Amino acid sequence: MQVSVRDNNVDQALRVLKKKLQKEGVFREMKLKQHFEKPSEKNARQKAGTQEVGTRRMM
């Protein structure tokens, strides 16, 4: 992944990089991997996540 810095504007380049990382789900993945998650907890989270997505689409 590349982000170009224009006119030495590092703040804007950092903002663009953060948006790209968030769009790809890197931050969510890092948050999940901070601590070990038991397989049963992982399955429960995945089941709950799929149900939430389904209810959102119906509304």
Side-chain angles (χ1 to χ4, degrees):
M1 180 177 303
Q2 289 183 341
V3 177
S4 59
V5 179
R6 299 180 192 160
D7 300 326
N8 289 331
N9 194 351
V10 178
D11 293 329
Q12 184 177 0
L14 185 61
R15 214 176 301 131
V16 171
L17 177 64
K18 284 183 180 180
K19 271 189 177 181
K20 285 184 178 185
L21 291 173
Q22 188 174 16
K23 190 173 184 179
E24 288 188 11
V26 174
F27 290 125
R28 184 180 314 133
E29 192 174 319
M30 285 177 16
K31 184 178 178 184
L32 288 174
K33 292 188 178 193
Q34 282 180 347
H35 302 286
F36 178 74
E37 186 176 24
K38 294 188 335 186
S40 60
E41 292 173 349
K42 185 176 180 181
N43 291 336
R45 181 181 47 82
Q46 287 177 348
K47 282 185 181 180
T50 56
Q51 290 173 354
E52 283 182 22
V53 172
T55 56
R56 288 184 194 156
R57 288 183 184 164
M58 292 176 74
M59 292 181 167

